[in-house]
Amino acid sequence: MTGSTFPNGISKGLRSSPFGTGAFVGKVVNLDFRSYVRFLNWMPAALHMPEPELIDHAGLDSAVYLRIYLIGQSQSDSKRFGRLKIFVPIAFMAFTILVPVNWTNTTLERSNLTYSDLDKLSISNIPSGSHRFWTHLVMAYAFTFWTCYVLKKEYEIVAKMRLHFLASEKRRPDQFTVLVRNVPPDADESVSELVEHFFLVNHPNDYLTYQVVYNANQLSNLVNEKKKMKNWLDYYQIKYSRNKSRKPSLKTGFLGLLGTRVDAVDHYTSEIERLSRKISLERDDIVNNPKSIMPAAFVSFKTRWGAAVCAQTQQSRNPTMWLTEWAPEPRDIYWDNLAIPFVSLTLRRLVIAVAFFFLTFFFMVPIAFVQSLANIEGIEKAFPFLKPIIEMKVIKSFIQGFLPGIALKIFLIFLPSILMLMSKFEGFISLSGLERRSAARYYIFQFINVFLGSIITGTAFQQLDNFIHQSATEIPKTIGVSIPMKATFFITYIMVDGWAGVAGEILRLKPLIIYHLKIFFLVKTEKDKDEAMDPGTLGFNTGEPQIQLYFLLGLVYAVVSPILLPFIIVFFALAFVVYRHQIINVYNQEYESAAAFWPDVHGRIIVAVIVSQLLLMGLLSTKEATQSTPLLITLPILTIWFHLFCKGRYEPAFVRYPLQEAMMKDTLERAREPNLNMKSFLQNAYIHPVFKGEDDSDSDEAPEEFEKEPHLVPTKRQSRRDTPLPSKHGSAASSQPEAQDYPLL
């Protein structure tokens, strides 16, 4: 338990592993019973670390991610529970006002619909045309205003946290570097010369150095293959050192089952030598072949101010050329996608948009089928021989309560991996960008299939008998009554997906099982064991959409069926404690985007608010609430206006870097470190990892071309073609400007 709960601390040497080196059983099961007694000590410890210390420990991304669970809490507030500012006050008002209004009716008792006692607490129990709907209208306004107030305060707080973080964080290469894409082709100059010339002319006071982007994907594959071969070589060398009486051997054919049997150490030694030669040739070809250079480059500046000016302005008359954006931090770059031509990105994104459309809507077919089977009548009809078992009270309760949620969860297991592959195909160049795009698509998918799909398909199958035996004019009314009754399904879904998911997260059963499977079948060396112990990252692309789905459910059902709210509040409270513990003790930080994802979080909550308003409007229209329904039209309009206000007021802090902040940071840095050599700091920051040789110590070192000092080379372009100024190194008296000399890195 402890070994899987604190892998980050164990891997960093902060904790000792409970799995000792003694008996075999002790290597598989934690036999230290004291650790089980102390198991729940992590809960107060997870809440003890203050937020500023958490930011220093895990980064601003992690701290702001946790704020989504307890959205709206004060920065200095140590009493974190009771600060669920959106749903706790909403639940209090709903249970003190709406629930008594709903409960004190007998509409469902006098109808022939299928219902439960929980449905009596919903709006379905209000008779059509009742004046009690004015209560729901007033509460819809109250819930909307309260949610918008909390969102505004939180947007303001997170924006200040981001600016403070950027102003106080340590010097990083991405603060001085811009990614330039779509460099125009030129017959006279190479990409390297063109980039150097362009920035010396147009940013003469701030430009420092550059690094062109190479298509090194093939080289990367060779280096990875060599690492695997080295790992196998280490394994067989260790095996031979333990038993020198017998040399290890293997077959070179399919899966090691066919082919000639050879000496394993000699085989992998020769394979490594062969790959080393191929890597050397491939590297030379990349460096010397102009076709391997992509029309893109990482351009670094002497100051943050210079980088901010370049990243946030148009560089040429043609707005499609010399496109600049802030470079991701080096560890955030997804290097494979830098080799994708910029002109193909639009086509790639169109293809993925079409593919996602079909994935989303065709996925409703199996969901509808499973939902139809996940009830008593559907299973008895499909499998009549199971009827005696199904009619047992325990089995029947399980099928009615948990089977639909479990079936839906199983269908969503592989979805995040599919969406991540789609994002990679689109060509996003940063890991943070990949996760944000995958999260957006995951949210859309869950909104359509989990939320709308479950309501539509569930309502159709649940009330099928009523649809058949009533007139067409009565069907909209039946749907209006039945949608709130899906709250029971979503309660079970929250318990299966949310509560059980949080419990599984703290127990880490899945990583524990995978770890032991790797130990038994895959781990060959200590390096393999360290990789098997890697806990991975938080998983923003799956965690954030789940949170947003619960925001959507809570806001939609707050007025319609308030009984859902306590289950959501419990989820948010438990998830906050568990994930705070996991961020502190378990997960690694893969990148730092300074909470750049917050505008997406805010926007999706706004969407949930508007959806709740529209659904309530449609529901009341079926309940003959003709007087109160028109007043709901103003709510979406006000919500959209509020979103546009926040977008204009706070979003610029997440997409642009203020020049004032950049100048202040630069001024302080010059005062503290007047002799700082920025060139040495930035020279090799954005070299492709396969050229750095960090994981390959012998022959795979950075080539000399990346280490040389800049030397002057004459550019072939006449200076007057880009600028009216004469050449620095040409004759001032010459009638024709001569070729200029610029340092080429």
Side-chain angles (χ1 to χ4, degrees):
M1 179 70 65
T2 309
S4 66
T5 306
F6 301 100
N8 197 14
I10 294 173
S11 64
K12 294 180 180 179
L14 302 178
R15 295 177 181 270
S16 60
S17 174
F19 303 111
T21 57
F24 173 78
V25 177
K27 296 181 179 180
V28 180
V29 181
N30 182 11
L31 299 179
D32 183 6
F33 292 99
R34 291 173 297 177
S35 65
Y36 295 98
V37 176
R38 300 191 304 265
F39 172 63
L40 293 179
N41 289 350
W42 62 268
M43 295 185 70
L47 297 172
H48 182 70
M49 181 180 288
E51 192 171 63
E53 187 178 341
L54 177 65
I55 294 173
D56 292 338
H57 174 76
L60 184 64
D61 281 346
S62 300
V64 172
Y65 178 83
L66 290 172
R67 293 182 71 92
I68 306 176
Y69 290 105
L70 300 181
I71 193 168
Q73 70 178 33
S74 172
Q75 276 185 274
S76 60
D77 189 5
S78 59
K79 298 180 180 179
R80 292 180 172 86
F81 286 104
R83 305 296 292 177
L84 291 154
K85 276 200 168 181
I86 286 183
F87 287 119
V88 168
I90 285 178
F92 176 77
M93 289 187 289
F95 274 85
T96 55
I97 299 174
L98 285 180
V99 169
V101 171
N102 295 336
W103 179 261
T104 55
N105 279 280
T106 58
T107 302
L108 290 176
E109 295 177 0
R110 289 184 276 107
S111 69
N112 60 346
L113 292 169
T114 303
Y115 70 94
S116 65
D117 289 338
L118 293 180
D119 295 325
K120 294 181 180 180
L121 304 178
S122 71
I123 199 173
S124 299
N125 205 29
I126 304 293
S128 298
S130 173
H131 291 292
R132 296 194 179 198
F133 287 123
W134 284 102
T135 306
H136 299 82
L137 175 67
V138 172
M139 298 308 295
Y141 269 87
F143 295 166
T144 297
F145 289 158
W146 176 251
T147 302
C148 290
Y149 170 76
V150 173
L151 287 177
K152 178 185 177 298
K153 296 295 292 183
E154 189 66 10
Y155 216 149
E156 182 179 359
I157 291 173
V158 175
K160 290 179 180 178
M161 290 174 66
R162 174 179 167 86
L163 292 176
H164 176 75
F165 178 80
L166 294 175
S168 60
E169 70 174 336
K170 297 179 181 179
R171 182 170 55 250
R172 298 192 320 190
D174 55 292
Q175 298 169 351
F176 301 87
T177 305
V178 169
L179 175 61
V180 183
R181 308 183 78 176
N182 220 25
V183 176
D186 191 274
D188 295 329
E189 294 183 336
S190 66
V191 173
S192 300
E193 294 169 335
L194 197 58
V195 170
E196 181 83 2
H197 180 214
F198 182 87
F199 284 95
L200 277 172
V201 170
N202 295 288
H203 297 268
N205 298 323
D206 299 299
Y207 168 73
L208 181 62
T209 184
Y210 75 97
Q211 175 58 57
V212 293
V213 174
Y214 291 97
N215 184 355
N217 289 352
Q218 181 62 31
L219 178 60
S220 179
N221 293 334
L222 291 173
V223 170
N224 291 333
E225 186 178 354
K226 182 179 176 180
K227 290 177 182 177
K228 293 178 182 178
M229 295 296 176
K230 278 190 170 183
N231 205 36
W232 277 109
L233 178 61
D234 293 341
Y235 167 71
Y236 283 112
Q237 286 177 336
I238 294 172
K239 186 176 181 180
Y240 178 63
S241 66
R242 292 173 178 172
N243 183 13
K244 293 192 175 183
S245 62
R246 182 181 179 184
K247 279 194 170 185
S249 61
L250 58 85
K251 290 184 178 181
T252 58
F254 178 72
L255 295 178
L257 302 175
L258 304 175
T260 308
R261 184 169 292 278
V262 297
D263 183 279
V265 175
D266 294 341
H267 171 73
Y268 283 111
T269 301
S270 62
E271 284 294 307
I272 290 172
E273 292 175 354
R274 179 184 63 83
L275 287 171
S276 295
R277 290 192 295 270
K278 289 186 67 175
I279 288 172
S280 179
L281 292 174
E282 180 69 19
R283 179 185 286 115
D284 292 340
D285 182 65
I286 290 174
V287 173
N288 299 318
N289 186 0
K291 293 183 179 180
S292 297
I293 300 178
M294 305 301 297
F298 292 100
V299 179
S300 298
F301 294 82
K302 300 174 183 176
T303 62
R304 296 173 183 83
W305 187 90
V309 170
C310 181
Q312 299 167 177
T313 55
Q314 182 174 315
Q315 300 302 307
S316 68
R317 292 180 179 179
N318 187 344
T320 64
M321 298 295 180
W322 296 102
L323 301 176
T324 56
E325 60 182 289
W326 282 106
E329 60 174 334
R331 62 176 174 167
D332 189 23
I333 296 176
Y334 186 69
W335 292 95
D336 290 349
N337 280 359
L338 282 175
I340 298 175
F342 185 81
V343 293
S344 69
L345 294 181
T346 302
L347 179 61
R348 283 171 170 262
R349 290 174 186 178
L350 177 62
V351 170
I352 291 300
V354 174
F356 179 68
F357 173 83
F358 285 104
L359 173 69
T360 301
F361 287 94
F362 279 97
F363 210 91
M364 295 187 72
V365 176
I367 286 181
F369 176 72
V370 171
Q371 292 282 52
S372 67
L373 291 181
N375 58 70
I376 302 299
E377 294 80 7
I379 296 177
E380 289 180 349
K381 184 177 180 180
F383 309 100
F385 60 90
L386 294 178
K387 186 174 181 179
I389 301 176
I390 293 174
E391 292 299 329
M392 296 174 61
K393 187 175 181 180
V394 176
I395 303 297
K396 190 173 184 178
S397 300
F398 174 78
I399 292 174
Q400 291 177 331
F402 291 97
L403 187 59
I406 294 174
L408 188 57
K409 183 66 177 175
I410 291 173
F411 266 94
L412 297 176
I413 288 177
F414 299 104
L415 182 64
S417 300
I418 296 173
L419 296 180
M420 181 58 73
L421 289 175
M422 285 183 168
S423 299
K424 290 178 179 178
F425 182 82
E426 284 187 280
F428 288 92
I429 61 167
S430 64
L431 298 175
S432 57
L434 289 171
E435 290 203 336
R436 287 202 296 272
R437 174 53 67 96
S438 297
R441 288 224 165 95
Y442 197 15
Y443 174 73
I444 295 172
F445 186 93
Q446 289 198 110
F447 175 77
I448 294 174
N449 283 288
V450 177
F451 180 68
L452 294 180
S454 296
I455 287 178
I456 296 171
T457 59
T459 298
F461 286 104
Q462 184 177 344
Q463 307 296 344
L464 181 60
D465 182 67
N466 290 304
F467 288 160
I468 294 174
H469 295 92
Q470 66 184 198
S471 63
T473 57
E474 295 293 316
I475 292 178
K477 186 181 296 184
T478 302
I479 295 176
V481 173
S482 300
I483 287 178
M485 294 164 62
K486 289 300 295 183
T488 305
F489 164 76
F490 285 118
I491 287 174
T492 61
Y493 183 79
I494 292 169
M495 295 172 68
V496 171
D497 180 67
W499 293 11
V502 171
E505 176 64 35
I506 193 59
L507 295 174
R508 290 185 60 79
L509 293 177
K510 179 181 174 181
L512 183 64
I513 294 171
I514 293 175
Y515 169 74
H516 286 297
L517 289 175
K518 288 180 177 179
I519 289 292
F520 280 116
F521 297 107
L522 299 178
V523 170
K524 302 177 291 295
T525 63
E526 286 296 321
K527 183 179 179 182
D528 287 342
K529 187 175 180 180
D530 292 339
E531 291 177 354
M533 280 288 293
D534 183 15
T537 58
L538 182 62
F540 176 84
N541 59 313
T542 56
E544 194 267 348
Q546 182 195 42
I547 302 172
Q548 294 294 347
L549 176 64
Y550 294 146
F551 269 112
L552 175 66
L553 293 176
L555 292 170
V556 166
Y557 281 94
V559 176
V560 173
S561 184
I563 191 62
L564 203 76
L565 294 176
F567 295 89
I568 292 177
I569 291 173
V570 170
F571 164 77
F572 279 132
L574 291 176
F576 171 76
V577 179
V578 168
Y579 281 101
R580 205 172 201 272
H581 167 269
Q582 304 297 78
I583 285 172
I584 294 172
N585 297 297
V586 178
Y587 290 124
N588 295 320
Q589 185 187 14
E590 192 171 19
Y591 58 82
E592 177 59 67
S593 68
F597 57 82
W598 189 258
D600 297 333
V601 173
H602 175 89
R604 286 194 267 274
I605 297 177
I606 290 293
V607 168
V609 173
I610 295 175
V611 168
S612 68
Q613 297 161 355
L614 295 177
L615 290 181
L616 180 62
M617 194 184 308
L619 177 60
L620 291 181
S621 66
T622 66
K623 304 283 282 185
E624 300 178 5
T626 55
Q627 295 179 338
S628 58
T629 302
L631 294 177
L632 283 173
I633 298 176
T634 58
L635 268 183
I637 297 174
L638 291 175
T639 306
I640 293 172
W641 173 84
F642 166 76
H643 174 62
L644 295 176
F645 166 77
C646 290
K647 187 178 180 68
R649 173 62 180 85
Y650 302 113
E651 188 173 322
F654 295 86
V655 296
R656 291 191 290 271
Y657 188 41
L659 296 180
Q660 182 185 26
E661 297 286 330
M663 181 61 74
M664 290 172 57
K665 185 79 172 175
D666 291 332
T667 304
L668 287 173
E669 189 170 74
R670 283 194 297 268
R672 293 171 179 171
E673 302 177 73
N675 299 320
L676 176 65
N677 186 351
M678 286 300 302
K679 196 161 201 174
S680 62
F681 176 69
L682 297 170
Q683 183 88 34
N684 298 325
Y686 284 94
I687 293 177
H688 197 292
V690 296
F691 292 123
K692 291 184 176 181
E694 292 176 351
D695 298 316
D696 221 359
S697 58
D698 46 1
S699 61
D700 298 340
E701 297 178 354
E704 294 181 0
E705 285 79 358
F706 298 111
E707 305 295 338
K708 289 180 180 178
E709 288 295 320
H711 58 278
L712 296 177
V713 297
T715 63
K716 301 179 182 66
R717 174 183 293 277
Q718 297 295 328
S719 63
R720 66 178 180 180
R721 291 166 65 180
D722 276 340
T723 175
L725 297 177
S727 169
K728 292 181 180 179
H729 304 283
S731 173
S734 176
S735 59
Q736 288 284 347
E738 297 180 1
Q740 302 180 58
D741 288 345
Y742 293 113
L744 177 63
L745 300 186

